[in-house]
Amino acid sequence: MDVRFATAADALAIESIRVRGWRRAYRHVFPPADLDAMPVDESRWVERLVEPPGGWAILVAARDDEVVGFAALGPSRDAERAGELYAIYVDPDAWSTGAGRALLRRAEELLAMTYNEATLWVLEHNPRARRFYEAFGWTDDGGRQTFERFGVRAPELRYRQRLVPDT
């Protein structure tokens, strides 16, 4: 699995993976009809890839030159002196192939170059993602917020990971 920095040419693949991931992972949380109607609009990614916000990085995982996953990371939006994993998605057809593991490890390496710890937000009712993060040492730090989409208010949990060994 090749993990590299994304380019603007990856925007459509990134957005397609995000939408396919939502449609598969969140059917029990959000209305299926709304998920099925989600458009694939890569414009949000083109902008972030061409002129990323300060400190941002977007990675893609590719297998045989086909993008199968991505991760977005940068400074935390709510925890001082921490980095954040904003998003990590793998195409559902590539789940359990090592793409998520490769992306998460590379994201942690990049975040560790600047931060001692990182956070991420995950839907409380996303057990697959929670098991994945927990398997790599991420823990629920007690942070809570509500994510609203399609008229549904879904609880989110904040997970945290120490990026450098305790001394």
Side-chain angles (χ1 to χ4, degrees):
M1 191 68 53
D2 178 42
V3 176
R4 61 172 172 77
F5 287 100
T7 69
D10 298 315
L12 179 59
I14 290 169
E15 179 63 359
S16 296
I17 289 165
R18 186 188 74 83
V19 170
R20 285 176 47 82
W22 268 69
R23 288 176 180 163
R24 178 79 61 87
Y26 301 147
R27 291 192 94 68
H28 65 290
V29 178
F30 301 110
D34 289 327
L35 291 170
D36 292 340
M38 286 177 67
V40 174
D41 177 8
E42 72 271 21
S43 63
R44 67 187 273 174
W45 296 105
V46 171
E47 181 179 326
R48 290 178 183 150
L49 290 163
V50 171
E51 209 170 308
W56 268 60
I58 300 175
L59 304 169
V60 293
R63 184 179 56 215
D64 300 326
D65 295 323
E66 178 186 354
V67 174
V68 297
F70 76 94
L73 56 124
S76 175
R77 295 168 289 180
D78 65 347
E80 286 191 38
R81 297 184 302 278
E84 183 173 346
L85 181 62
Y86 305 125
I88 184 168
Y89 287 88
V90 172
D91 188 285
D93 290 341
W95 285 356
S96 300
T97 64
R101 288 186 298 277
L103 283 165
L104 184 59
R105 286 300 180 221
R106 184 66 180 125
E108 288 176 344
E109 289 171 6
L110 288 173
L111 287 164
M113 294 172 71
T114 306
Y115 306 102
N116 291 333
E117 61 182 3
T119 62
L120 61 82
W121 288 95
V122 61
L123 290 180
E124 181 177 7
H125 301 295
N126 188 348
R128 180 184 181 92
R130 292 178 63 191
R131 283 191 305 271
F132 173 76
Y133 298 130
E134 290 165 4
F136 289 90
W138 291 76
T139 57
D140 180 346
D141 76 356
R144 301 290 184 267
Q145 67 183 15
T146 301
F147 179 81
E148 189 167 348
R149 184 66 52 94
F150 308 122
V152 174
R153 293 174 54 82
E156 282 188 304
L157 312 176
R158 188 175 59 203
Y159 275 43
R160 188 175 298 264
Q161 172 73 298
R162 184 118 178 102
L163 298 172
V164 295
D166 292 322
T167 55

